[in-house]
Amino acid sequence: MHVEQMLATHPHVKGAVNTALARCIEACFDCAQVCASCADACLGEAKVAELVQCIRLNMDCADVCLTTGLIATRRSGGDVPLIDAQLRACQLACARCAAECEQHAEMHEHCAICAAACRDCEQACQAALASLADGQSAAH
């Protein structure tokens, strides 16, 4: 995985990568792309008015995931309280988006895919939070 390889080269990390955080970064960027794509697909559906909340949550989740991935990628300084708060926000955004997409999953395959990506990111955020609580440095 490129994220883990890249983090390992950072002068503040010195090879000691927090694997759970690296996995979370990848999940965040993946989820951001999937949510953006799902919102766009929802806009193309015939009954778009029925998908307004789904589109809104897709866009919110995409933005939160992108921001979380970027903040968690920064290794200089390691602002653990901010990373922790951002991971919690991402976990919430993913849970809300997944729940909404799951309501449309039988009718729209893009919503099923999005719900799965959101659940994966939600779990990756939980694992990253646990890794921070277990004492692994956010700088790693």
Side-chain angles (χ1 to χ4, degrees), residues 7 10 25 67 69-79 82-83 138-139:
L7 292 176
H10 195 287
I25 292 165
T67 301
L70 292 170
I71 288 171
T73 297
R74 297 180 188 122
R75 303 297 78 216
S76 298
D79 190 346
L82 179 59
I83 293 169

Side-chain angles (χ1 to χ4, degrees), residues 31-86:
C31 193
Q33 184 279 318
V34 170
C35 286
S37 184
C38 188
D40 186 61
C42 285
L43 287 169
E45 294 292 348
K47 296 182 181 180
V48 70
E50 295 174 8
L51 297 169
V52 169
Q53 184 64 5
C54 191
I55 294 164
R56 166 61 191 265
L57 289 170
N58 284 162
M59 294 188 318
D60 288 351
C61 193
D63 289 344
V64 171
C65 286
L66 178 61
T67 301
T68 302
L70 292 170
I71 288 171
T73 297
R74 297 180 188 122
R75 303 297 78 216
S76 298
D79 190 346
V80 176
L82 179 59
I83 293 169
D84 184 276
Q86 193 63 43

Side-chain angles (χ1 to χ4, degrees), residues 49-131:
E50 295 174 8
L51 297 169
V52 169
Q53 184 64 5
C54 191
I55 294 164
R56 166 61 191 265
L57 289 170
N58 284 162
M59 294 188 318
D60 288 351
C61 193
D63 289 344
V64 171
C65 286
L66 178 61
T67 301
T68 302
L70 292 170
I71 288 171
T73 297
R74 297 180 188 122
R75 303 297 78 216
S76 298
D79 190 346
V80 176
L82 179 59
I83 293 169
D84 184 276
Q86 193 63 43
L87 288 170
R88 290 180 193 284
C90 189
Q91 191 176 20
L92 176 62
C94 288
R96 293 181 49 73
C97 189
E100 180 67 27
C101 280
E102 287 164 354
Q103 293 180 33
H104 308 285
E106 287 187 25
M107 184 173 282
H108 305 295
E109 186 176 2
H110 54 83
C111 286
I113 294 166
C114 188
C118 287
R119 292 294 182 202
D120 183 50
C121 190
E122 180 185 12
Q123 291 171 359
C125 286
Q126 181 60 42
L129 283 163
S131 76

